[in-house]
Amino acid sequence: MITSTRLPQNHPEELYAAVDLGSNSFHLVIVRVVAGSVQIIGKVKQKVRLAAGLDENMMLDDESLERGWRCLETFAERLQDIPRDNIRVVATATLRLAKNAAVFTQKAQQILDHELSVISGEEEARQIYLGVAYTSANQGNSLVIDIGGASTEIIIGNDMTPIHLVSLNMGCVTFKERYFVGDVLSKENFAAAVGAAKAMVDAVADKFVCFDWQQCLGASGTPQAITEILVAQGISDAIRLDYLYNLRQQCIDCATLDNLIIDGLEESRRVIFPSGLAILIALFESLSIRDMQISGGALREGLIYGMLENIQQNDRRMQTIQQHIQHFHIDSEQAERVTNVALTLFKQLSEQTDVDGIDGEAMLVAAAMLHETGLHIEYKLHHKHGAYILGHVPMVGYTNLQRDGIKTLVLNHRQQISPEVFEQNHNETRGIMRSLVRVLRLACILSIRRKDNLLPELKLEVKEDEWHLIFPEGWLKAHPLIDAELANEKWQQHKMGWHLSCE
């Protein structure tokens, strides 16, 4: 049972806003806080590309200043409805570097009628980490990376505490101007950009590679763009170095930015995509990153949650599950029943085969707890309804890849198994996802009577795709309903090329 934090009674709901004046884009996010729940009610993003206005003397030109001020005029109207004490406005790398930053900030403060803080690189990194930590699950040490327009932040932390952090003066806008002159996309230009980025990362790499991290998270920007490309190209997976190399070659094949067309790449991101890609390749190589997933938050979320000291952050995954159970009127007793059986089988599975790599246990628990979400609509196709719903609601504490995995499990927890969904997974995770589906299906069948203390001690023997489920002698004969359901399940798994036997 999760205890929500109550707001003071004279503030039944409050609005908060964070404004992030980045080197590439300006962002405004507005949230509403009701009964301890934080709901995003507005987002505005404009590509200002402030860093592109920096000349060789580190002066912002008039055109870039005007672009920034015009954007802030649109933000100002939205901020009029927010209590002044609930607004935080910060600027990052470009205004740290620009010698005439005061010219911009003085007029910006007049437009917004609010104080603007130019935060240090270290403070930016700290806020980014907090934004990631508040919206992601605690899985031990986490490496967090944010590639901005003029700076890149690297942070290692554990739960809500950043352990070591650094802000490097390299970004997708500044690297575009420096290494892709004339908008040429060539092998040589990429090599120069990657080499320059590696030189900067290598200087600090030892402070990060000495840690064992359980997950690497990318905060928006380039990682988000790459994830969208992978999804558009039918790849449901984390970001991996071989994917980055493939995207680099796709860029080179296009020869120029004008000709850069990659399936899944948004037009607004096209100009700075190659430079961001080069920086990310350098980070993967220098820090020996195996894979990266997208976080749920970044700087703006860090600013928001920093103002919400009264919001207690417990287990963010369990909060998400409990909120959906309440919202979709899920039978929580049955959800826990299925989850307990699934975990019993998963433990035996993990003792006999490798199921590491994608936090499979957490995905299995979420899918087991939420597998009846679709009953909110109707019974016959509730597995499909549930998968659709879970693909379109917030899943705080889970990465996009994990949310897709949960959706896949719910879709396949009953009736026919959809083989095509597994083809979207990387070879390393495809087998794990198949095993999780099999565990969840068995757990649902074994809990079909919705009754506690019914099941005996179970034993699962696994040898590749051959699974053997062993019951006490005579138990299946005494429970013909479950015996019949398991017989049908044997046939469903046989159609997938899997073997299931029960005795």
Side-chain angles (χ1 to χ4, degrees), residues 92-93 96 120-126 128-129 143-155 165-170 208 217 219 283 299:
T92 56
R96 289 197 294 266
S120 68
E122 290 71 22
E123 176 62 13
E124 181 180 0
R126 190 181 75 85
I128 288 168
Y129 182 80
L143 179 70
V144 173
I145 289 171
D146 188 304
I147 301 173
S151 69
T152 293
E153 283 66 45
I154 310 171
I155 313 102
L165 51 82
V166 68
S167 179
L168 302 177
N169 289 328
M170 62 178 185
F208 294 95
L217 298 171
L283 288 161
L299 175 59

Side-chain angles (χ1 to χ4, degrees), residues 14-16 30 75-84 87:
E14 288 213 57
L15 300 180
Y16 291 79
I30 300 172
F75 287 5
E77 184 176 0
R78 296 293 301 272
L79 293 177
Q80 291 175 11
D81 303 321
I82 313 293
R84 291 184 62 84
I87 299 172

Side-chain angles (χ1 to χ4, degrees), residues 371-386 413-415 448 450 485:
H371 73 283
E372 292 191 333
T373 299
L375 290 178
H376 188 69
I377 298 177
E378 59 93 40
Y379 173 76
K380 185 176 181 181
L381 297 176
H382 75 261
H383 54 298
K384 293 185 178 181
H385 301 316
H413 83 269
R414 64 190 291 269
Q415 294 191 3
I448 194 171
R450 311 176 82 90
E485 291 292 330

Side-chain angles (χ1 to χ4, degrees), residues 415-417 419 441 488-500:
Q415 294 191 3
Q416 289 190 345
I417 303 167
R441 291 174 68 89
N488 180 64
E489 181 62 15
K490 293 176 189 177
W491 171 242
Q492 295 294 345
Q493 296 201 20
H494 172 74
K495 291 192 291 185
M496 292 292 296
W498 309 334
H499 179 72
L500 173 66

Side-chain angles (χ1 to χ4, degrees), residues 252-477:
I252 293 171
D253 290 343
C254 293
T256 67
L257 279 175
D258 286 341
N259 295 328
L260 181 60
I261 300 176
I262 296 177
D263 187 19
L265 176 62
E266 290 188 2
E267 174 62 26
S268 61
R269 194 80 199 172
R270 179 176 57 83
V271 174
I272 56 171
F273 177 74
S275 49
L277 175 62
I279 293 172
L280 192 57
I281 288 173
L283 288 161
F284 263 71
E285 292 180 348
S286 292
L287 299 178
S288 301
I289 298 172
R290 178 177 174 271
D291 56 52
M292 170 187 285
Q293 299 187 41
I294 298 299
S295 71
L299 175 59
R300 294 166 295 284
E301 288 75 16
L303 297 172
I304 288 288
Y305 281 101
M307 291 186 281
L308 304 181
E309 295 179 358
N310 63 316
I311 301 296
Q312 296 179 355
Q313 288 298 316
N314 300 314
D315 186 327
R316 290 171 289 284
R317 286 177 170 173
M318 191 50 63
Q319 286 180 343
T320 293
I321 290 172
Q322 292 294 341
Q323 287 170 2
H324 291 329
I325 284 175
Q326 294 171 15
H327 183 77
F328 297 108
H329 309 294
I330 296 170
D331 182 344
S332 59
E333 292 185 358
Q334 176 67 0
E336 291 179 4
R337 200 174 287 124
V338 171
T339 300
N340 289 334
V341 177
L343 287 175
T344 297
L345 298 175
F346 180 81
K347 181 180 178 181
Q348 297 184 49
L349 171 69
S350 62
E351 291 170 350
Q352 301 172 68
T353 187
D354 182 14
V355 289
D356 294 331
I358 56 173
D359 203 5
E361 182 174 346
M363 290 165 49
L364 179 63
V365 168
M369 292 294 290
L370 301 175
H371 73 283
E372 292 191 333
T373 299
L375 290 178
H376 188 69
I377 298 177
E378 59 93 40
Y379 173 76
K380 185 176 181 181
L381 297 176
H382 75 261
H383 54 298
K384 293 185 178 181
H385 301 316
Y388 178 84
I389 290 170
L390 294 177
H392 291 83
V393 295
M395 294 290 288
V396 175
Y398 299 91
T399 64
N400 288 346
L401 181 61
Q402 290 164 346
R403 185 176 75 171
D404 289 342
I406 294 166
K407 182 175 69 173
T408 295
L409 293 176
V410 171
L411 176 65
N412 289 281
H413 83 269
R414 64 190 291 269
Q415 294 191 3
Q416 289 190 345
I417 303 167
S418 304
E420 64 275 4
V421 299
F422 302 110
E423 299 307 314
Q424 299 174 1
N425 296 115
H426 191 273
N427 290 338
E428 294 182 14
T429 59
R430 193 174 298 157
I432 300 173
M433 285 302 303
R434 287 199 297 257
S435 294
L436 294 178
V437 165
R438 297 179 76 175
V439 166
L440 181 59
R441 291 174 68 89
L442 289 174
C444 291
I445 290 171
L446 295 171
S447 306
I448 194 171
R449 287 184 58 185
R450 311 176 82 90
K451 184 178 179 182
D452 292 330
N453 305 317
L454 175 68
L455 292 178
E457 184 176 344
L458 301 170
K459 183 178 180 182
L460 176 64
E461 294 180 349
V462 176
K463 186 176 181 181
E464 296 182 348
D465 282 338
E466 294 189 12
W467 288 24
H468 189 44
L469 192 58
I470 302 172
F471 296 83
E473 185 176 354
W475 192 89
L476 279 178
K477 186 175 181 180

Side-chain angles (χ1 to χ4, degrees), residues 70-139:
R70 286 198 301 272
C71 173
L72 295 184
E73 287 171 357
T74 67
F75 287 5
E77 184 176 0
R78 296 293 301 272
L79 293 177
Q80 291 175 11
D81 303 321
I82 313 293
R84 291 184 62 84
D85 290 342
N86 295 359
I87 299 172
R88 183 92 190 271
V89 183
V90 302
T92 56
T94 295
L95 291 176
R96 289 197 294 266
L97 297 170
K99 294 180 179 178
N100 59 339
V103 174
F104 179 84
T105 57
Q106 287 172 7
K107 185 170 180 178
Q109 290 180 145
Q110 293 174 3
I111 294 171
L112 296 174
D113 190 25
H114 201 280
E115 181 183 356
L116 187 161
S117 300
V118 180
I119 58 176
S120 68
E122 290 71 22
E123 176 62 13
E124 181 180 0
R126 190 181 75 85
Q127 293 290 346
I128 288 168
Y129 182 80
L130 291 177
V132 170
Y134 272 114
T135 53
S136 304
N138 176 20
Q139 293 180 256

